[in-house]
């Protein structure tokens, strides 16, 4: 009898755990592309914070940076009946109809790297577009000695935040360093390491006076850095931008990449889930709230923007890489 009661209790506890797991609110985050270090780190943050807060939080990483794949992933999440959808958009405009569809279904929407995103309840940034862009523009000018030609890469011409960074960097350089000249407009290749490399190689061939690359998108500095190494232009052409320290560790130590700034993508993953938890519970998101990962917030419209820049250079890259970034 005693053995039976113990077995029954164990079965009851097991069922309780199973039902609790089934009852956990789902939070799905759709990122730009899967399988790259930046979003691998974000996924770790999503999963860890989900476990801490009792949410079934997971990431979906499309096989390419194709807005249509993001739309399909969001539609799948709507069909699953998730409570919150997070997105790092490849194309803010393309996503508007499917985000509206999510809202109509009663699903909360949180975006990242997409200020002013239509259809989002909240968008958060760990770096202001002006501060981030100007920091990179200033560092590039210092490396280039305030003279010469430079090129700008972005993830795509439709990624709002990358282009806002580029706008800020270009405007800063134009206002402060008149002897620096932008080559072309900008190139939408920085979410693809091979395209970044091949575009950089083409630009180096076409522009003998090229002295710098500003690459906004985590694969841009990696591809451009490899191109600089291939052409034996280390120390002559300077590559700057945000990238995964673990992926670019060797390139920055060899000076093929000259530096950059970033925020912690794992922290961004945690913020997605923290914000989701607040929305599900009906807790406030307002001026003066202290939200873990963001600090005290001062929203403007539906944007929450803070500045938490981390420099990436020879002195910091090992520590950042050791954090799994």
């Amino acid at each position: 009898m005693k053995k039976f009661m113990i077995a029954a209790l164990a079965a009851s506890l097991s069922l309780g755990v199973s039902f609790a797991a089934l009852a956990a609110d789902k939070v799905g985050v759709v990122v730009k592309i899967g399988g790259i270090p930046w979003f691998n780190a974000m996924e770790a943050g999503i999963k860890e914070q989900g476990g801490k807060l009792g949410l079934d939080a997971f990431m979906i990483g499309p096989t390419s940076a194709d807005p249509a794949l993001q739309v399909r992933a969001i539609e799948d999440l709507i069909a699953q009946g998730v409570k919150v959808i997070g997105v790092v958009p490849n194309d803010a405009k393309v996503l508007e109809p499917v985000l509206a569809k999510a809202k109509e279904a009663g699903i909360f929407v949180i975006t990242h790297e997409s200020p002013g995103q239509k259809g989002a309840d909240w968008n958060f940034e760990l770096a202001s577009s002006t501060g981030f862009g100007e920091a990179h523009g200033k560092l590039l000018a210092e490396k280039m000695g305030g003279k010469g030609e430079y090129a700008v890469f972005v993830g795509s011409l439709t990624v709002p935040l990358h282009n806002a960074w580029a706008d800020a960097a270009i405007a800063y350089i134009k206002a402060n360093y008149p002897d620096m000249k932008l080559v072309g407009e900008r190139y939408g290749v920085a979410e693809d390491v091979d395209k970044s490399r091949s575009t950089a190689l083409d630009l180096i061939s076409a522009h003998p006076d090229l002295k710098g690359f500003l690459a906004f998108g985590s694969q841009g500095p990696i591809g451009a850095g490899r191109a600089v190494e291939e052409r034996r232009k280390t120390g002559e052409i300077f590559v700057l931008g945000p990238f995964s320290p673990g992926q670019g560790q060797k390139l920055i130590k060899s000076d093929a990449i000259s530096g950059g700034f970033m925020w912690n993508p794992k922290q961004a993953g945690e913020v997605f889930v923290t914000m989701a938890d607040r929305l599900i519970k009906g807790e406030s998101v307002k001026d003066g709230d202290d939200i873990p990962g963001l600090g005290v917030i001062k929203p403007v419209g539906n944007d929450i923007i803070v500045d938490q820049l981390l420099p990436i250079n020879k002195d910091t890259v090992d520590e950042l890489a050791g954090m799994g970034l």
Side-chain angles (χ1 to χ4, degrees):
M1 183 68 176
K2 187 176 181 181
K3 289 182 179 178
F4 173 78
M5 290 177 67
I6 292 171
L9 177 60
S12 174
L13 289 171
S14 177
L15 284 171
V17 171
S18 298
F19 286 132
L22 288 170
D25 291 322
K26 287 188 174 184
V27 178
V29 180
V30 180
V31 299
K32 293 178 181 179
I33 186 169
I36 65 174
W38 186 271
F39 291 118
N40 291 343
M42 186 175 290
E43 183 173 27
I46 291 166
K47 288 182 176 180
E48 287 181 18
Q49 192 70 350
K52 289 178 182 177
L53 297 177
L55 297 173
D56 180 6
F58 55 93
M59 189 185 90
I60 298 172
T63 54
S64 69
D66 181 350
L69 295 179
Q70 287 194 314
V71 170
R72 192 180 308 162
I74 294 167
E75 288 176 339
D76 288 344
L77 290 174
I78 294 170
Q80 289 180 40
V82 301
K83 289 292 182 72
V84 181
I85 292 175
V87 193
V88 186
N90 279 313
D91 189 320
K93 192 72 176 176
V94 168
L95 294 187
E96 286 179 16
V98 74
L99 295 184
K101 184 177 177 182
K103 295 291 291 295
E104 288 169 6
I107 299 170
F108 293 111
V109 175
I110 302 168
T111 59
H112 175 50
E113 295 189 25
S114 194
Q117 176 69 55
K118 291 183 179 179
D121 291 281
W122 293 101
N123 175 78
F124 72 92
E125 308 297 338
L126 298 181
S128 67
S129 57
T130 300
F132 198 72
E134 288 186 353
H136 280 93
K138 181 179 180 181
L139 185 58
L140 180 67
E142 290 172 358
K143 295 289 184 181
M144 290 175 55
K147 297 179 180 180
E149 295 181 340
Y150 71 100
V152 173
F153 291 176
V154 290
S156 82
L157 301 182
T158 56
V159 176
L161 196 56
H162 289 192
N163 286 279
W165 295 337
D167 289 342
I170 293 166
Y172 179 86
I173 290 170
K174 187 176 180 179
N176 294 281
Y177 298 94
D179 292 330
M180 290 176 63
K181 180 183 176 183
L182 178 65
V183 171
E185 289 297 322
R186 61 195 70 173
Y187 302 86
V189 295
E191 292 294 357
D192 186 312
V193 69
D194 294 324
K195 288 181 181 177
S196 294
R197 172 186 161 274
S198 61
T199 302
L201 287 170
D202 290 344
L203 288 169
I204 291 169
S205 296
H207 300 276
D209 294 328
L210 188 69
K211 299 298 180 186
F213 287 98
L214 272 182
F216 295 117
S218 66
Q219 299 304 291
I222 306 298
R226 289 176 182 173
V228 167
E229 276 195 333
E230 286 181 44
R231 290 296 170 86
R232 295 181 172 84
K233 294 288 186 178
T234 300
E236 298 177 35
I237 297 178
F238 304 95
V239 177
L240 295 171
F243 59 93
S244 168
Q247 188 182 20
Q249 205 167 8
K250 291 181 180 179
L251 291 168
I252 202 162
K253 287 185 176 182
S254 72
D255 289 320
I257 296 177
S258 299
F261 300 90
M262 63 176 287
W263 61 91
N264 188 335
K266 184 178 180 182
Q267 182 180 346
E270 294 168 357
V271 170
F272 263 123
V273 181
T274 299
M275 290 285 292
D277 185 58
R278 293 179 78 94
L279 293 175
I280 291 169
K281 291 177 177 176
E283 295 178 358
S284 70
V285 179
K286 65 180 189 307
D287 190 10
D289 283 348
D290 191 346
I291 298 179
L294 294 173
V296 178
I297 63 169
K298 295 183 179 297
V300 178
N302 70 339
D303 288 321
I304 300 170
I305 301 174
V306 298
D307 272 308
Q308 297 187 9
L309 297 188
L310 301 174
I312 318 172
N313 53 44
K314 288 181 179 180
D315 294 330
T316 65
V317 69
D318 287 340
E319 182 180 355
L320 292 170
M323 293 166 60
L325 299 175

Coordinates of all heavy atoms in Angstrom, one line a residue, residues 75-117:
E75 N 3.7 34.4 -39.1 CA 2.4 33.7 -39.3 C 2.3 32.4 -38.6 O 1.2 32.1 -38.0 CB 2.1 33.6 -40.8 CG 1.9 34.9 -41.5 CD 1.8 34.7 -43.0 OE1 2.3 33.7 -43.6 OE2 1.2 35.6 -43.7
D76 N 3.3 31.6 -38.6 CA 3.4 30.4 -37.8 C 3.1 30.6 -36.3 O 2.4 29.8 -35.7 CB 4.7 29.6 -38.0 CG 4.8 29.0 -39.4 OD1 3.8 28.9 -40.1 OD2 5.9 28.7 -39.9
L77 N 3.8 31.6 -35.8 CA 3.6 31.9 -34.4 C 2.2 32.4 -34.0 O 1.6 32.0 -33.0 CB 4.6 33.0 -34.0 CG 6.1 32.6 -33.9 CD1 7.0 33.8 -33.6 CD2 6.3 31.5 -32.9
I78 N 1.6 33.1 -34.9 CA 0.2 33.5 -34.7 C -0.7 32.3 -34.7 O -1.6 32.1 -33.8 CB -0.3 34.5 -35.9 CG1 0.5 35.8 -35.8 CG2 -1.8 34.7 -35.8 CD1 0.3 36.7 -37.0
A79 N -0.4 31.3 -35.6 CA -1.2 30.1 -35.7 C -1.0 29.3 -34.4 O -2.0 28.6 -33.9 CB -0.8 29.3 -36.9
Q80 N 0.1 29.3 -33.8 CA 0.4 28.6 -32.5 C -0.3 29.2 -31.3 O -0.4 28.6 -30.3 CB 1.9 28.6 -32.2 CG 2.7 27.7 -33.2 CD 4.2 27.8 -32.8 OE1 4.6 27.8 -31.6 NE2 5.1 27.8 -33.8
G81 N -0.7 30.5 -31.5 CA -1.4 31.2 -30.4 C -0.5 31.6 -29.3 O -0.8 31.6 -28.1
V82 N 0.8 32.1 -29.7 CA 1.7 32.6 -28.6 C 1.1 33.8 -28.0 O 0.3 34.5 -28.6 CB 3.1 32.8 -29.3 CG1 3.7 31.6 -29.9 CG2 3.0 33.9 -30.3
K83 N 1.6 34.1 -26.8 CA 1.2 35.3 -26.1 C 1.9 36.6 -26.6 O 1.4 37.7 -26.6 CB 1.4 35.2 -24.6 CG 0.4 34.2 -24.0 CD -1.0 34.7 -24.0 CE -2.0 33.8 -23.3 NZ -1.8 33.8 -21.8
V84 N 3.2 36.4 -26.9 CA 4.1 37.5 -27.4 C 4.9 37.1 -28.5 O 5.5 36.0 -28.5 CB 5.0 38.0 -26.2 CG1 5.8 39.2 -26.6 CG2 4.2 38.4 -25.0
I85 N 5.1 38.0 -29.5 CA 6.0 37.8 -30.6 C 7.0 38.9 -30.6 O 6.7 40.1 -30.5 CB 5.2 37.9 -32.0 CG1 4.3 36.7 -32.1 CG2 6.3 37.9 -33.1 CD1 3.5 36.7 -33.4
G86 N 8.3 38.5 -30.6 CA 9.4 39.5 -30.7 C 10.0 39.4 -32.1 O 10.0 38.3 -32.7
V87 N 10.5 40.5 -32.6 CA 11.1 40.5 -33.9 C 12.3 41.4 -34.0 O 12.2 42.5 -33.5 CB 10.0 40.9 -35.0 CG1 10.6 40.6 -36.4 CG2 8.7 40.3 -34.8
V88 N 13.3 41.0 -34.7 CA 14.4 41.9 -35.1 C 14.2 42.0 -36.7 O 14.7 41.1 -37.4 CB 15.8 41.3 -34.8 CG1 16.9 42.3 -35.1 CG2 15.8 40.9 -33.3
P89 N 13.6 43.0 -37.1 CA 13.1 43.1 -38.5 C 14.3 43.2 -39.6 O 15.2 43.9 -39.4 CB 12.2 44.3 -38.6 CG 11.8 44.5 -37.2 CD 13.0 44.1 -36.4
N90 N 14.1 42.5 -40.7 CA 14.9 42.7 -41.9 C 14.3 43.9 -42.7 O 15.1 44.6 -43.4 CB 15.0 41.5 -42.7 CG 16.0 40.5 -42.2 OD1 17.2 40.9 -41.8 ND2 15.7 39.2 -42.0
D91 N 13.0 44.0 -42.7 CA 12.3 45.0 -43.5 C 11.1 45.5 -42.7 O 10.1 44.8 -42.6 CB 11.9 44.5 -44.9 CG 11.4 45.6 -45.8 OD1 10.7 46.5 -45.3 OD2 11.8 45.6 -47.0
A92 N 11.2 46.7 -42.1 CA 10.1 47.2 -41.2 C 8.8 47.3 -42.0 O 7.7 46.9 -41.4 CB 10.5 48.5 -40.6
K93 N 8.8 47.7 -43.2 CA 7.6 48.0 -44.0 C 6.9 46.7 -44.3 O 5.7 46.5 -44.2 CB 8.0 48.8 -45.2 CG 6.8 49.3 -46.0 CD 6.1 50.5 -45.2 CE 5.0 51.1 -46.0 NZ 4.3 52.1 -45.3
V94 N 7.7 45.7 -44.8 CA 7.1 44.4 -45.2 C 6.4 43.7 -44.0 O 5.4 43.0 -44.2 CB 8.3 43.5 -45.7 CG1 7.8 42.1 -45.9 CG2 8.7 44.0 -47.1
L95 N 6.9 43.9 -42.8 CA 6.3 43.3 -41.6 C 5.1 43.9 -41.1 O 4.3 43.3 -40.3 CB 7.3 43.2 -40.5 CG 8.6 42.4 -40.7 CD1 9.4 42.3 -39.4 CD2 8.3 41.0 -41.2
E96 N 4.8 45.1 -41.6 CA 3.6 45.9 -41.0 C 2.3 45.1 -41.1 O 1.6 44.9 -40.1 CB 3.5 47.2 -41.7 CG 4.5 48.2 -41.2 CD 4.4 49.6 -41.9 OE1 3.3 49.8 -42.5 OE2 5.3 50.4 -41.9
P97 N 1.9 44.5 -42.2 CA 0.6 43.8 -42.3 C 0.6 42.5 -41.4 O -0.4 42.3 -40.7 CB 0.5 43.3 -43.8 CG 1.4 44.3 -44.5 CD 2.5 44.6 -43.6
V98 N 1.7 41.8 -41.3 CA 1.6 40.6 -40.4 C 1.7 40.9 -39.0 O 1.1 40.2 -38.1 CB 2.8 39.6 -40.8 CG1 4.1 40.1 -40.3 CG2 2.4 38.2 -40.3
L99 N 2.3 42.0 -38.6 CA 2.3 42.5 -37.2 C 0.9 43.0 -36.8 O 0.5 42.7 -35.7 CB 3.4 43.6 -37.0 CG 4.8 43.1 -37.1 CD1 5.8 44.3 -36.8 CD2 5.2 41.9 -36.3
A100 N 0.3 43.6 -37.8 CA -1.1 44.1 -37.5 C -2.0 42.8 -37.3 O -2.9 42.8 -36.4 CB -1.6 44.9 -38.7
K101 N -1.8 41.8 -38.1 CA -2.5 40.5 -37.9 C -2.3 39.9 -36.5 O -3.2 39.4 -35.9 CB -2.1 39.6 -39.0 CG -2.8 38.3 -39.0 CD -2.4 37.4 -40.2 CE -3.1 36.0 -40.2 NZ -2.6 35.2 -41.4
A102 N -1.1 40.0 -36.1 CA -0.8 39.5 -34.7 C -1.5 40.3 -33.6 O -2.1 39.7 -32.7 CB 0.7 39.6 -34.5
K103 N -1.5 41.6 -33.8 CA -2.2 42.5 -32.8 C -3.7 42.2 -32.8 O -4.4 42.1 -31.8 CB -2.0 43.9 -33.2 CG -0.5 44.4 -33.0 CD -0.1 44.4 -31.6 CE -0.8 45.5 -30.8 NZ -0.4 46.9 -31.3
E104 N -4.3 41.9 -34.0 CA -5.7 41.6 -34.1 C -6.0 40.3 -33.4 O -7.2 40.1 -32.9 CB -6.1 41.5 -35.6 CG -6.2 42.8 -36.3 CD -6.3 42.7 -37.8 OE1 -6.5 41.5 -38.3 OE2 -6.2 43.7 -38.5
A105 N -5.0 39.4 -33.4 CA -5.2 38.1 -32.7 C -5.0 38.2 -31.2 O -5.0 37.2 -30.5 CB -4.3 37.1 -33.3
G106 N -4.7 39.5 -30.7 CA -4.5 39.7 -29.3 C -3.1 39.3 -28.8 O -2.9 39.1 -27.6
I107 N -2.2 39.3 -29.7 CA -0.8 39.0 -29.4 C 0.0 40.3 -29.2 O -0.1 41.2 -30.0 CB -0.2 38.1 -30.5 CG1 -0.9 36.8 -30.6 CG2 1.3 37.8 -30.2 CD1 -0.5 36.0 -31.9
F108 N 0.8 40.3 -28.1 CA 1.7 41.5 -27.9 C 2.9 41.4 -28.9 O 3.4 40.3 -29.2 CB 2.2 41.5 -26.5 CG 1.2 41.8 -25.5 CD1 0.8 40.8 -24.6 CD2 0.6 43.1 -25.4 CE1 -0.1 41.1 -23.6 CE2 -0.3 43.3 -24.4 CZ -0.7 42.4 -23.5
V109 N 3.4 42.5 -29.4 CA 4.5 42.5 -30.3 C 5.6 43.4 -29.8 O 5.3 44.6 -29.4 CB 4.0 43.0 -31.7 CG1 5.3 43.2 -32.7 CG2 3.0 42.1 -32.3
I110 N 6.8 42.9 -29.7 CA 8.0 43.7 -29.3 C 9.0 43.6 -30.4 O 9.3 42.5 -30.9 CB 8.6 43.1 -28.0 CG1 7.5 43.0 -26.9 CG2 9.8 43.9 -27.5 CD1 8.0 42.2 -25.7
T111 N 9.6 44.7 -30.8 CA 10.7 44.7 -31.8 C 11.9 45.3 -31.2 O 12.0 45.9 -30.1 CB 10.3 45.5 -33.0 OG1 10.0 46.8 -32.7 CG2 9.1 44.8 -33.7
H112 N 13.0 45.0 -31.9 CA 14.4 45.4 -31.5 C 15.1 45.8 -32.8 O 14.9 45.2 -33.9 CB 15.1 44.3 -30.8 CG 16.5 44.5 -30.4 ND1 16.9 45.7 -29.8 CD2 17.6 43.8 -30.6 CE1 18.2 45.6 -29.6 NE2 18.7 44.5 -30.1
E113 N 15.9 46.8 -32.8 CA 16.6 47.3 -34.0 C 15.6 47.9 -35.0 O 15.9 47.8 -36.2 CB 17.5 46.3 -34.6 CG 18.6 45.8 -33.7 CD 19.6 44.9 -34.4 OE1 19.7 45.0 -35.7 OE2 20.3 44.2 -33.8
S114 N 14.5 48.4 -34.6 CA 13.5 49.0 -35.6 C 12.7 50.1 -34.9 O 11.5 50.0 -34.7 CB 12.6 47.8 -36.0 OG 11.9 48.2 -37.2
P115 N 13.4 51.2 -34.7 CA 12.7 52.4 -34.0 C 11.5 52.8 -34.8 O 11.5 52.9 -36.1 CB 13.7 53.5 -34.0 CG 15.0 52.8 -34.1 CD 14.8 51.5 -34.9
G116 N 10.4 53.1 -34.1 CA 9.2 53.6 -34.7 C 8.4 52.5 -35.5 O 7.5 52.8 -36.3
Q117 N 8.7 51.2 -35.2 CA 8.1 50.1 -35.9 C 6.5 50.2 -35.8 O 6.0 50.1 -34.7 CB 8.6 48.8 -35.4 CG 7.9 47.6 -36.1 CD 8.3 47.4 -37.5 OE1 9.5 47.4 -37.9 NE2 7.3 47.3 -38.4

